[in-house]
Amino acid sequence: QADLAGKRVIDYGCGSGVLAIAAALLGAREVIAIDNDPQAIEATRDNAERNGVATSIVLYLPAADPGAIADVLVANILAGPLHALAPEFAARLQPGGALALSGILVSQRDELLARYSEWFEDLSATIREDWVRIDGRRR
């Protein structure tokens, strides 16, 4: 569990908002939730209201996202988009910022670790069943 108190967090590919809401409940100052599906944006908004954290979460479709720099970026999306978004994720994190990626199959781990190593250090992969979470810090 990360100390998110006072931090700006990006949840890229927010879906129903689970990670964005968790970050807000853990004390994040601001959570930027981004998804390319308008229904996901609505679901996140509804779930944030139900959990009492709607004022802490700002929602964007990618084209409307103003590009704020964050302390922490989380993304639970497929490996293909994670690969393509690596340069953007690097640009969106301040030096030393924390990265947590999930939605990754074990067979995709090495390729993504190599891809992210250009911009991130202290990369590690945690495996649970067939799934991997990659953590790292912005160089």
Side-chain angles (χ1 to χ4, degrees):
Q1 173 178 326
D3 176 15
L4 298 180
K7 294 186 176 165
R8 175 183 281 153
V9 176
I10 294 172
D11 177 4
Y12 204 100
C14 61
S16 64
V18 171
L19 296 178
I21 291 163
L25 291 171
L26 288 170
R29 158 177 63 86
E30 179 184 28
V31 181
I32 299 166
I34 302 164
D35 204 290
N36 62 5
D37 182 349
Q39 290 181 319
I41 297 294
E42 287 306 312
T44 298
R45 180 177 287 116
D46 292 346
N47 290 328
E49 288 171 3
R50 279 192 206 102
N51 284 277
V53 294
T55 59
S56 300
I57 299 174
V58 292
L59 299 146
Y60 297 106
L61 292 167
D65 173 23
I69 306 299
D71 305 295
V72 177
L73 188 146
V74 297
N76 182 19
I77 56 179
L78 298 173
L82 287 174
H83 191 279
L85 288 164
E88 180 173 343
F89 288 177
R92 299 296 297 274
L93 273 171
Q94 69 174 353
L99 175 76
L101 308 174
S102 55
I104 303 162
L105 295 171
V106 172
S107 62
Q108 301 164 328
R109 172 190 60 195
D110 293 343
E111 179 187 342
L112 284 170
L113 284 169
R115 172 77 167 146
Y116 278 79
S117 68
E118 183 176 337
W119 301 279
F120 293 88
E121 58 193 9
D122 301 328
L123 287 167
S124 65
T126 304
I127 300 171
R128 181 172 290 170
E129 296 171 12
D130 296 330
W131 297 98
V132 175
R133 185 188 73 234
I134 293 176
D135 297 293
R137 293 223 164 265
R138 180 70 171 100
R139 227 180 237 106

